[in-house]
Amino acid sequence: MKPSKKIIMFTFSLTFVLLFLILSSKTYALGIVPAQKEITLNELSYVYDIRIVNTEDREVVIEMSFEGDMNQHISLSEKNFVIKPNEHKDIQVLINFNSLEDISGGEHVTRILAREMGTVDTNLIAKVGVASKLIIYKSEEGVVLVPTIHASNFIKNQQNKFLLEIKNKGLKDANNVVSVLDVYSNTNSKVWSTTGAPVNIKSKETESVEFTWIPQLENGNYYVQASVLYGDSIQTTTDTFSIGSPKINVDSITSADFKINKINALNIFLSSEWGEPINNVNTKLELANAEKTFFETRLAPVNFESLGKEVVTGYLDTTKVEPGRYKMLITMEYLGKSQLDVFETVITTDSIKIISTSGNVVSEYGNSNDTKESSDGLSTIFLILIIVVVLNIVVITYLIKSKKNKE
Amino acid sequence: MKSKLFFILLILILLALVNIVSADLTCTITSSCSDTVLLYLENEIGGSTNAHAQLANYTPTYSNSVCCNTTGQSISSNCTDGTVFLRLSDITNAHVQDPNNGSLPTIYANEACINTQGISSCTIQSGSCSGTSECLASIASSEGNDYTNAHIGECGDYTLQVCCDTNSPPPVPVPDYPDNEDYMFINRTPFFNWTFAGDADGDPVTFHFELFSDSSLTVIESNQTALANLNYTHNSILDFQSYYWKVRAYDGQDYSAWSATQNFTIQEYVAISLLNADMQFSTFVQNQTDDTTDNTPTPFTIRSFSNTEIDIYNTSANESLWSTQTLNSQYWRIKGRTGSNSYNESGSITSWTNVLSGLPGLINRLNWTVDRDALIDIEVTVPFYESPGTKQASIIFDSEVAS
């Protein structure tokens, strides 16, 4: 990956220099507290404090900003300020509404973000930001339902469960709350839908609804949306999940005219079990025994379509390989993971036999066995031919003799 | 003359020391008691030597009394919760006996008591009362066993003296940290400390600490007795809520009153730091790619100093590194490094992803206790038509409480 010093010098002299620098030498830490604040609306205005903490031995310049749908209702006592080393700054958050009727029911999340904008003595390029989440709940008839759907990674053709948690952040109990679950593929096609049993949720309490599902779909990424219906309000929550995990199989390996002491092309036939494209699959091919690795090569990257099949070609140099038993290691790197497949490999002077760990022969190419079988076949044909010729000679001789005798 | 003055000064110092160690109880036998009478006594001629005894609540009273006072404490002869210092053969005109000797042939039924805070026991001792003991009277008998059927006298009259051990309860500790009503407290395993003025008697003192999770002090989180130091660290992790605590001292005999109840509120705290802020790649040519996966240059290390799991929910660059490429190109990519167990890898971006003006969800659930570093790898590829020169850009990692 890294160019050698020689290469660097060479490129310096012949082409040009790109010097890439993206950070200053300063480190710093920022903190914010409370990092989360929940308010259930029943008044037109609220005030509370947040604290920005500077744990470094130098001054920091802070700029505050908002992210979220309540920005127009929120203001801060200060938005730009300096915090001295190892000190903190308390600022007031002011929330004002002209009318609560303007606010839609449910959960509203706003982030109050503190970022360092540089320092007094340096021109800082990289930064961190810390956000305090302000969660405002607006009730419908005194009820605020906040659903959260949990979906773990599922297994195809097995029973799996979604768990829907519904919190009632309101001041009144919610009765007869209905939940609808919809599962979508990565192309936004709805692949499953179901309705949960109605539940009653007391004020400030949480109820859970389980949904059991046996997915009979291709492995891949999906997402689930749960809709919680109460009166005229609908609250939704989504989560992504996967069925199975990305997997690429080595189906077979072919090598035409394999010979030792030469470079042999190995065609590796791969297939993806993943229902989404897998790009940039890097493959490494190694031939080794218990003592050492005889050969190692990286193959060209390949991209897979959803459930696609691809062939990658490796060139196995056997000039330093003696006939014998080896292991062929095929390492594939994709989607941030590394997959290793190991094959028992038997090499003769003119053949290669590759056996998967399950004992299946995935490849058997060359002349050693074929030659023997072929020579056996030739011998038989030759023998039959001789017998036929001999028989013909005998018959012809007999016929000639018989004719002569008659004459 | 000088030696006499020195001797008097020495006596005064010794008396002062005696007063310090003998604490608050002071008793005398007097015919004019202005304090609390614990027992009356009188002989045939109205004196207080070789006298008979009378309970304090009897009238008409004898002319002499065991007269006691304490500073800052109430004192009485009430036997309810009091300490018996003598038994009397009758309520008046009585002989006395040692109250603690159960082997005597006859146990007198009438008890003379001292009732005040700080009295641990009263015993009959041969010779002067020692240490923190205060002498109330002395007793002697003409019947051979001085411990019963005895007459009573002033402390200096007889060998056997009625001695009551006195003790001053320790002062109330003063809570110091966490600050009372700190509603932005962030340490979930708090260190508590308090100050203490010292025990007046010089007794070794331990402390009793209580931590509650409700303001009515009914749900106890921690109950620590016999703490030897002026602090306590709560090692199990506390929740995000208000807590209440108080402390009192114990000198082996008495507890102080409880300190004023303190409260603090633990809030969620998000704090991150970039440990290595330098990232400098070397000389490049067109189409050349380099990354930090081999630790050269070192990847960004984000360390959480938070008190809860956090997300790096947004990673943003203000502009592209390259003049010939915009953001969201394969020429500048980023990913979280796997294998550290410091964050939830399945919910994070762990394969090369183009740097954007706002890339959501880079790191999910970064730990806050151990393994709290997230390594962020960067990959750069020089576009073919990029002009030479130094290239800079800024990248921002925004964090929040994990969803």
Side-chain angles (χ1 to χ4, degrees), chain A residues 68-108:
Chain A
D69 63 351
M70 288 280 158
N71 293 0
Q72 69 273 25
H73 301 290
I74 299 173
S75 59
L76 300 174
S77 56
E78 288 184 72
K79 292 189 79 171
N80 298 281
F81 46 86
V82 174
I83 309 178
K84 290 183 176 175
N86 296 305
E87 291 193 359
H88 61 258
K89 174 83 173 177
D90 289 348
I91 59 174
Q92 276 192 330
V93 180
L94 305 120
I95 308 165
N96 281 297
F97 301 97
N98 293 326
S99 166
L100 295 186
E101 301 304 315
D102 301 339
I103 311 302
S104 60
E107 183 184 53
H108 300 267

mmCIF file of all heavy atoms in Angstrom, chain A residues 68-108:
data_model
loop_
_atom_site.group_PDB
_atom_site.id
_atom_site.type_symbol
_atom_site.label_atom_id
_atom_site.label_comp_id
_atom_site.label_asym_id
_atom_site.label_seq_id
_atom_site.Cartn_x
_atom_site.Cartn_y
_atom_site.Cartn_z
ATOM 1 N N GLY A 68 -33.125 20.264 14.159
ATOM 2 C CA GLY A 68 -34.393 19.644 14.512
ATOM 3 C C GLY A 68 -35.566 20.519 14.141
ATOM 4 O O GLY A 68 -35.410 21.634 13.643
ATOM 5 N N ASP A 69 -36.782 19.988 14.415
ATOM 6 C CA ASP A 69 -37.971 20.676 13.936
ATOM 7 C C ASP A 69 -38.548 21.675 14.940
ATOM 8 O O ASP A 69 -39.616 22.229 14.725
ATOM 9 C CB ASP A 69 -39.047 19.652 13.535
ATOM 10 C CG ASP A 69 -39.511 18.818 14.703
ATOM 11 O OD1 ASP A 69 -38.893 18.916 15.780
ATOM 12 O OD2 ASP A 69 -40.490 18.078 14.551
ATOM 13 N N MET A 70 -37.856 21.915 16.055
ATOM 14 C CA MET A 70 -38.357 22.882 17.025
ATOM 15 C C MET A 70 -37.449 24.125 17.071
ATOM 16 O O MET A 70 -37.525 24.907 18.009
ATOM 17 C CB MET A 70 -38.406 22.248 18.422
ATOM 18 C CG MET A 70 -39.503 21.233 18.588
ATOM 19 S SD MET A 70 -41.063 22.044 18.885
ATOM 20 C CE MET A 70 -42.199 20.787 18.394
ATOM 21 N N ASN A 71 -36.589 24.265 16.073
ATOM 22 C CA ASN A 71 -35.589 25.332 16.106
ATOM 23 C C ASN A 71 -36.204 26.709 16.328
ATOM 24 O O ASN A 71 -35.669 27.528 17.076
ATOM 25 C CB ASN A 71 -34.810 25.360 14.780
ATOM 26 C CG ASN A 71 -33.975 24.119 14.610
ATOM 27 O OD1 ASN A 71 -33.995 23.255 15.487
ATOM 28 N ND2 ASN A 71 -33.267 24.017 13.522
ATOM 29 N N GLN A 72 -37.329 26.943 15.655
ATOM 30 C CA GLN A 72 -37.897 28.290 15.715
ATOM 31 C C GLN A 72 -38.459 28.615 17.094
ATOM 32 O O GLN A 72 -38.749 29.771 17.375
ATOM 33 C CB GLN A 72 -38.980 28.466 14.637
ATOM 34 C CG GLN A 72 -40.246 27.675 14.865
ATOM 35 C CD GLN A 72 -40.177 26.261 14.305
ATOM 36 O OE1 GLN A 72 -39.103 25.697 14.159
ATOM 37 N NE2 GLN A 72 -41.323 25.700 14.008
ATOM 38 N N HIS A 73 -38.619 27.601 17.944
ATOM 39 C CA HIS A 73 -39.172 27.847 19.274
ATOM 40 C C HIS A 73 -38.090 27.917 20.348
ATOM 41 O O HIS A 73 -38.397 28.077 21.520
ATOM 42 C CB HIS A 73 -40.165 26.736 19.638
ATOM 43 C CG HIS A 73 -41.304 26.620 18.684
ATOM 44 N ND1 HIS A 73 -42.292 27.561 18.591
ATOM 45 C CD2 HIS A 73 -41.584 25.693 17.732
ATOM 46 C CE1 HIS A 73 -43.159 27.217 17.653
ATOM 47 N NE2 HIS A 73 -42.747 26.082 17.111
ATOM 48 N N ILE A 74 -36.836 27.702 19.960
ATOM 49 C CA ILE A 74 -35.767 27.595 20.959
ATOM 50 C C ILE A 74 -34.775 28.742 20.788
ATOM 51 O O ILE A 74 -34.421 29.114 19.672
ATOM 52 C CB ILE A 74 -35.030 26.243 20.810
ATOM 53 C CG1 ILE A 74 -36.021 25.104 21.034
ATOM 54 C CG2 ILE A 74 -33.889 26.133 21.821
ATOM 55 C CD1 ILE A 74 -35.439 23.741 20.758
ATOM 56 N N SER A 75 -34.338 29.275 21.893
ATOM 57 C CA SER A 75 -33.245 30.257 21.857
ATOM 58 C C SER A 75 -32.310 29.981 23.030
ATOM 59 O O SER A 75 -32.677 29.293 23.982
ATOM 60 C CB SER A 75 -33.793 31.683 21.928
ATOM 61 O OG SER A 75 -34.532 31.856 23.125
ATOM 62 N N LEU A 76 -31.110 30.533 22.921
ATOM 63 C CA LEU A 76 -30.104 30.335 23.962
ATOM 64 C C LEU A 76 -29.680 31.682 24.530
ATOM 65 O O LEU A 76 -29.693 32.688 23.811
ATOM 66 C CB LEU A 76 -28.877 29.618 23.396
ATOM 67 C CG LEU A 76 -29.113 28.238 22.802
ATOM 68 C CD1 LEU A 76 -27.842 27.728 22.151
ATOM 69 C CD2 LEU A 76 -29.561 27.258 23.882
ATOM 70 N N SER A 77 -29.270 31.666 25.786
ATOM 71 C CA SER A 77 -28.822 32.918 26.392
ATOM 72 C C SER A 77 -27.530 33.406 25.733
ATOM 73 O O SER A 77 -27.282 34.598 25.660
ATOM 74 C CB SER A 77 -28.615 32.734 27.893
ATOM 75 O OG SER A 77 -27.707 31.692 28.136
ATOM 76 N N GLU A 78 -26.705 32.461 25.243
ATOM 77 C CA GLU A 78 -25.489 32.822 24.497
ATOM 78 C C GLU A 78 -25.247 31.770 23.429
ATOM 79 O O GLU A 78 -25.480 30.581 23.659
ATOM 80 C CB GLU A 78 -24.264 32.870 25.424
ATOM 81 C CG GLU A 78 -24.235 34.050 26.366
ATOM 82 C CD GLU A 78 -22.944 34.059 27.178
ATOM 83 O OE1 GLU A 78 -21.889 34.365 26.600
ATOM 84 O OE2 GLU A 78 -23.000 33.750 28.377
ATOM 85 N N LYS A 79 -24.764 32.200 22.304
ATOM 86 C CA LYS A 79 -24.488 31.241 21.232
ATOM 87 C C LYS A 79 -23.011 31.157 20.879
ATOM 88 O O LYS A 79 -22.562 30.173 20.303
ATOM 89 C CB LYS A 79 -25.279 31.595 19.967
ATOM 90 C CG LYS A 79 -26.777 31.400 20.139
ATOM 91 C CD LYS A 79 -27.506 31.537 18.829
ATOM 92 C CE LYS A 79 -27.398 30.280 18.002
ATOM 93 N NZ LYS A 79 -28.277 30.315 16.824
ATOM 94 N N ASN A 80 -22.266 32.194 21.190
ATOM 95 C CA ASN A 80 -20.822 32.187 20.917
ATOM 96 C C ASN A 80 -20.091 32.661 22.169
ATOM 97 O O ASN A 80 -20.410 33.738 22.697
ATOM 98 C CB ASN A 80 -20.481 33.113 19.750
ATOM 99 C CG ASN A 80 -21.139 32.657 18.469
ATOM 100 O OD1 ASN A 80 -20.660 31.738 17.814
ATOM 101 N ND2 ASN A 80 -22.251 33.280 18.125
ATOM 102 N N PHE A 81 -19.158 31.875 22.622
ATOM 103 C CA PHE A 81 -18.465 32.264 23.846
ATOM 104 C C PHE A 81 -17.145 31.508 23.958
ATOM 105 O O PHE A 81 -16.886 30.558 23.198
ATOM 106 C CB PHE A 81 -19.335 31.998 25.085
ATOM 107 C CG PHE A 81 -19.988 30.643 25.088
ATOM 108 C CD1 PHE A 81 -19.335 29.538 25.567
ATOM 109 C CD2 PHE A 81 -21.279 30.494 24.575
ATOM 110 C CE1 PHE A 81 -19.935 28.298 25.569
ATOM 111 C CE2 PHE A 81 -21.887 29.251 24.567
ATOM 112 C CZ PHE A 81 -21.222 28.144 25.068
ATOM 113 N N VAL A 82 -16.349 31.942 24.899
ATOM 114 C CA VAL A 82 -15.042 31.325 25.152
ATOM 115 C C VAL A 82 -15.096 30.655 26.528
ATOM 116 O O VAL A 82 -15.633 31.229 27.480
ATOM 117 C CB VAL A 82 -13.929 32.388 25.133
ATOM 118 C CG1 VAL A 82 -12.582 31.777 25.530
ATOM 119 C CG2 VAL A 82 -13.841 33.017 23.755
ATOM 120 N N ILE A 83 -14.561 29.457 26.612
ATOM 121 C CA ILE A 83 -14.468 28.778 27.914
ATOM 122 C C ILE A 83 -12.998 28.649 28.282
ATOM 123 O O ILE A 83 -12.191 28.146 27.487
ATOM 124 C CB ILE A 83 -15.116 27.381 27.896
ATOM 125 C CG1 ILE A 83 -16.539 27.451 27.313
ATOM 126 C CG2 ILE A 83 -15.164 26.800 29.304
ATOM 127 C CD1 ILE A 83 -17.215 26.092 27.236
ATOM 128 N N LYS A 84 -12.680 29.069 29.467
ATOM 129 C CA LYS A 84 -11.291 29.018 29.919
ATOM 130 C C LYS A 84 -10.869 27.566 30.187
ATOM 131 O O LYS A 84 -11.710 26.682 30.295
ATOM 132 C CB LYS A 84 -11.138 29.861 31.189
ATOM 133 C CG LYS A 84 -11.272 31.353 30.893
ATOM 134 C CD LYS A 84 -11.041 32.187 32.121
ATOM 135 C CE LYS A 84 -11.078 33.661 31.767
ATOM 136 N NZ LYS A 84 -10.966 34.529 32.931
ATOM 137 N N PRO A 85 -9.562 27.340 30.304
ATOM 138 C CA PRO A 85 -9.074 25.964 30.510
ATOM 139 C C PRO A 85 -9.712 25.308 31.733
ATOM 140 O O PRO A 85 -9.824 25.913 32.790
ATOM 141 C CB PRO A 85 -7.572 26.146 30.712
ATOM 142 C CG PRO A 85 -7.256 27.443 30.069
ATOM 143 C CD PRO A 85 -8.462 28.304 30.208
ATOM 144 N N ASN A 86 -10.154 24.068 31.543
ATOM 145 C CA ASN A 86 -10.722 23.252 32.624
ATOM 146 C C ASN A 86 -11.874 23.945 33.356
ATOM 147 O O ASN A 86 -12.045 23.757 34.550
ATOM 148 C CB ASN A 86 -9.626 22.844 33.607
ATOM 149 C CG ASN A 86 -8.599 21.949 32.969
ATOM 150 O OD1 ASN A 86 -8.947 20.914 32.402
ATOM 151 N ND2 ASN A 86 -7.342 22.360 33.026
ATOM 152 N N GLU A 87 -12.614 24.717 32.617
ATOM 153 C CA GLU A 87 -13.796 25.335 33.205
ATOM 154 C C GLU A 87 -15.019 24.957 32.374
ATOM 155 O O GLU A 87 -14.913 24.256 31.367
ATOM 156 C CB GLU A 87 -13.623 26.858 33.272
ATOM 157 C CG GLU A 87 -12.564 27.277 34.282
ATOM 158 C CD GLU A 87 -12.619 28.773 34.581
ATOM 159 O OE1 GLU A 87 -13.460 29.470 34.001
ATOM 160 O OE2 GLU A 87 -11.792 29.219 35.400
ATOM 161 N N HIS A 88 -16.154 25.423 32.836
ATOM 162 C CA HIS A 88 -17.378 25.147 32.086
ATOM 163 C C HIS A 88 -18.196 26.425 31.962
ATOM 164 O O HIS A 88 -17.937 27.417 32.645
ATOM 165 C CB HIS A 88 -18.190 24.048 32.764
ATOM 166 C CG HIS A 88 -18.642 24.385 34.147
ATOM 167 N ND1 HIS A 88 -18.029 23.902 35.280
ATOM 168 C CD2 HIS A 88 -19.642 25.185 34.590
ATOM 169 C CE1 HIS A 88 -18.630 24.385 36.344
ATOM 170 N NE2 HIS A 88 -19.617 25.165 35.959
ATOM 171 N N LYS A 89 -19.178 26.349 31.092
ATOM 172 C CA LYS A 89 -20.042 27.501 30.854
ATOM 173 C C LYS A 89 -21.486 27.018 30.902
ATOM 174 O O LYS A 89 -21.848 26.078 30.192
ATOM 175 C CB LYS A 89 -19.728 28.092 29.475
ATOM 176 C CG LYS A 89 -20.657 29.201 29.047
ATOM 177 C CD LYS A 89 -20.223 30.510 29.631
ATOM 178 C CE LYS A 89 -21.045 31.660 29.070
ATOM 179 N NZ LYS A 89 -20.668 32.937 29.692
ATOM 180 N N ASP A 90 -22.292 27.648 31.748
ATOM 181 C CA ASP A 90 -23.715 27.322 31.814
ATOM 182 C C ASP A 90 -24.478 28.324 30.965
ATOM 183 O O ASP A 90 -24.279 29.541 31.102
ATOM 184 C CB ASP A 90 -24.221 27.385 33.262
ATOM 185 C CG ASP A 90 -23.682 26.231 34.092
ATOM 186 O OD1 ASP A 90 -23.129 25.288 33.497
ATOM 187 O OD2 ASP A 90 -23.815 26.272 35.330
ATOM 188 N N ILE A 91 -25.313 27.811 30.106
ATOM 189 C CA ILE A 91 -26.158 28.717 29.319
ATOM 190 C C ILE A 91 -27.613 28.273 29.451
ATOM 191 O O ILE A 91 -27.906 27.099 29.714
ATOM 192 C CB ILE A 91 -25.742 28.763 27.835
ATOM 193 C CG1 ILE A 91 -25.831 27.365 27.214
ATOM 194 C CG2 ILE A 91 -24.375 29.346 27.660
ATOM 195 C CD1 ILE A 91 -25.584 27.394 25.731
ATOM 196 N N GLN A 92 -28.494 29.242 29.289
ATOM 197 C CA GLN A 92 -29.923 28.963 29.445
ATOM 198 C C GLN A 92 -30.535 28.601 28.100
ATOM 199 O O GLN A 92 -30.248 29.237 27.082
ATOM 200 C CB GLN A 92 -30.643 30.180 29.999
ATOM 201 C CG GLN A 92 -30.571 30.295 31.515
ATOM 202 C CD GLN A 92 -31.533 31.353 32.022
ATOM 203 O OE1 GLN A 92 -31.821 32.317 31.344
ATOM 204 N NE2 GLN A 92 -32.029 31.159 33.236
ATOM 205 N N VAL A 93 -31.371 27.578 28.138
ATOM 206 C CA VAL A 93 -32.170 27.212 26.968
ATOM 207 C C VAL A 93 -33.581 27.723 27.217
ATOM 208 O O VAL A 93 -34.190 27.413 28.250
ATOM 209 C CB VAL A 93 -32.200 25.682 26.771
ATOM 210 C CG1 VAL A 93 -33.034 25.325 25.561
ATOM 211 C CG2 VAL A 93 -30.797 25.134 26.648
ATOM 212 N N LEU A 94 -34.071 28.527 26.290
ATOM 213 C CA LEU A 94 -35.414 29.089 26.443
ATOM 214 C C LEU A 94 -36.310 28.531 25.340
ATOM 215 O O LEU A 94 -35.955 28.593 24.153
ATOM 216 C CB LEU A 94 -35.370 30.619 26.348
ATOM 217 C CG LEU A 94 -34.396 31.283 27.331
ATOM 218 C CD1 LEU A 94 -33.345 32.063 26.569
ATOM 219 C CD2 LEU A 94 -35.126 32.172 28.293
ATOM 220 N N ILE A 95 -37.436 27.985 25.752
ATOM 221 C CA ILE A 95 -38.374 27.393 24.792
ATOM 222 C C ILE A 95 -39.679 28.177 24.897
ATOM 223 O O ILE A 95 -40.238 28.308 25.997
ATOM 224 C CB ILE A 95 -38.630 25.912 25.104
ATOM 225 C CG1 ILE A 95 -37.295 25.173 25.241
ATOM 226 C CG2 ILE A 95 -39.491 25.273 24.039
ATOM 227 C CD1 ILE A 95 -37.420 23.820 25.877
ATOM 228 N N ASN A 96 -40.152 28.674 23.791
ATOM 229 C CA ASN A 96 -41.386 29.480 23.802
ATOM 230 C C ASN A 96 -42.308 29.066 22.667
ATOM 231 O O ASN A 96 -41.849 28.847 21.536
ATOM 232 C CB ASN A 96 -41.044 30.969 23.641
ATOM 233 C CG ASN A 96 -40.574 31.568 24.949
ATOM 234 O OD1 ASN A 96 -41.317 31.627 25.920
ATOM 235 N ND2 ASN A 96 -39.330 31.981 24.972
ATOM 236 N N PHE A 97 -43.576 28.958 22.996
ATOM 237 C CA PHE A 97 -44.602 28.670 21.987
ATOM 238 C C PHE A 97 -45.681 29.740 22.079
ATOM 239 O O PHE A 97 -46.071 30.140 23.183
ATOM 240 C CB PHE A 97 -45.236 27.304 22.245
ATOM 241 C CG PHE A 97 -44.247 26.174 22.235
ATOM 242 C CD1 PHE A 97 -43.712 25.691 23.424
ATOM 243 C CD2 PHE A 97 -43.839 25.601 21.041
ATOM 244 C CE1 PHE A 97 -42.788 24.654 23.419
ATOM 245 C CE2 PHE A 97 -42.928 24.569 21.035
ATOM 246 C CZ PHE A 97 -42.399 24.097 22.219
ATOM 247 N N ASN A 98 -46.154 30.178 20.920
ATOM 248 C CA ASN A 98 -47.297 31.087 20.932
ATOM 249 C C ASN A 98 -48.568 30.328 21.306
ATOM 250 O O ASN A 98 -49.437 30.827 22.012
ATOM 251 C CB ASN A 98 -47.466 31.743 19.559
ATOM 252 C CG ASN A 98 -46.294 32.662 19.257
ATOM 253 O OD1 ASN A 98 -45.751 33.279 20.166
ATOM 254 N ND2 ASN A 98 -45.892 32.714 17.996
ATOM 255 N N SER A 99 -48.664 29.137 20.785
ATOM 256 C CA SER A 99 -49.832 28.310 21.081
ATOM 257 C C SER A 99 -49.420 26.855 20.953
ATOM 258 O O SER A 99 -48.695 26.487 20.015
ATOM 259 C CB SER A 99 -50.956 28.630 20.098
ATOM 260 O OG SER A 99 -51.942 27.624 20.169
ATOM 261 N N LEU A 100 -49.882 26.034 21.859
ATOM 262 C CA LEU A 100 -49.554 24.607 21.791
ATOM 263 C C LEU A 100 -50.308 23.930 20.655
ATOM 264 O O LEU A 100 -49.960 22.822 20.234
ATOM 265 C CB LEU A 100 -49.879 23.932 23.120
ATOM 266 C CG LEU A 100 -49.062 24.395 24.330
ATOM 267 C CD1 LEU A 100 -49.377 23.542 25.548
ATOM 268 C CD2 LEU A 100 -47.567 24.338 24.045
ATOM 269 N N GLU A 101 -51.337 24.598 20.165
ATOM 270 C CA GLU A 101 -52.118 24.020 19.071
ATOM 271 C C GLU A 101 -51.277 23.892 17.800
ATOM 272 O O GLU A 101 -51.568 23.091 16.921
ATOM 273 C CB GLU A 101 -53.348 24.890 18.776
ATOM 274 C CG GLU A 101 -54.291 25.058 19.964
ATOM 275 C CD GLU A 101 -54.752 23.713 20.489
ATOM 276 O OE1 GLU A 101 -55.112 22.852 19.683
ATOM 277 O OE2 GLU A 101 -54.719 23.531 21.726
ATOM 278 N N ASP A 102 -50.247 24.749 17.696
ATOM 279 C CA ASP A 102 -49.408 24.726 16.494
ATOM 280 C C ASP A 102 -48.492 23.501 16.451
ATOM 281 O O ASP A 102 -47.902 23.198 15.418
ATOM 282 C CB ASP A 102 -48.520 25.985 16.445
ATOM 283 C CG ASP A 102 -49.361 27.247 16.430
ATOM 284 O OD1 ASP A 102 -50.548 27.142 16.049
ATOM 285 O OD2 ASP A 102 -48.841 28.308 16.799
ATOM 286 N N ILE A 103 -48.342 22.838 17.572
ATOM 287 C CA ILE A 103 -47.388 21.728 17.657
ATOM 288 C C ILE A 103 -48.123 20.423 17.398
ATOM 289 O O ILE A 103 -49.158 20.158 18.018
ATOM 290 C CB ILE A 103 -46.726 21.679 19.051
ATOM 291 C CG1 ILE A 103 -46.209 23.059 19.456
ATOM 292 C CG2 ILE A 103 -45.598 20.653 19.074
ATOM 293 C CD1 ILE A 103 -45.211 23.660 18.498
ATOM 294 N N SER A 104 -47.589 19.640 16.490
ATOM 295 C CA SER A 104 -48.220 18.350 16.218
ATOM 296 C C SER A 104 -47.947 17.377 17.361
ATOM 297 O O SER A 104 -46.950 17.509 18.086
ATOM 298 C CB SER A 104 -47.679 17.775 14.905
ATOM 299 O OG SER A 104 -46.287 17.596 15.007
ATOM 300 N N GLY A 105 -48.842 16.428 17.508
ATOM 301 C CA GLY A 105 -48.717 15.475 18.609
ATOM 302 C C GLY A 105 -47.542 14.545 18.432
ATOM 303 O O GLY A 105 -47.061 14.336 17.321
ATOM 304 N N GLY A 106 -47.059 14.003 19.525
ATOM 305 C CA GLY A 106 -45.981 13.018 19.471
ATOM 306 C C GLY A 106 -44.648 13.577 19.941
ATOM 307 O O GLY A 106 -44.593 14.506 20.743
ATOM 308 N N GLU A 107 -43.598 12.977 19.407
ATOM 309 C CA GLU A 107 -42.234 13.267 19.867
ATOM 310 C C GLU A 107 -41.540 14.220 18.897
ATOM 311 O O GLU A 107 -41.591 14.022 17.678
ATOM 312 C CB GLU A 107 -41.460 11.952 19.943
ATOM 313 C CG GLU A 107 -40.067 12.051 20.471
ATOM 314 C CD GLU A 107 -39.352 10.704 20.410
ATOM 315 O OE1 GLU A 107 -39.333 10.095 19.327
ATOM 316 O OE2 GLU A 107 -38.841 10.261 21.431
ATOM 317 N N HIS A 108 -40.890 15.230 19.440
ATOM 318 C CA HIS A 108 -40.119 16.168 18.615
ATOM 319 C C HIS A 108 -38.705 16.245 19.182
ATOM 320 O O HIS A 108 -38.525 16.594 20.344
ATOM 321 C CB HIS A 108 -40.752 17.555 18.644
ATOM 322 C CG HIS A 108 -42.157 17.578 18.132
ATOM 323 N ND1 HIS A 108 -42.482 17.852 16.824
ATOM 324 C CD2 HIS A 108 -43.340 17.314 18.757
ATOM 325 C CE1 HIS A 108 -43.786 17.777 16.659
ATOM 326 N NE2 HIS A 108 -44.337 17.457 17.823
#
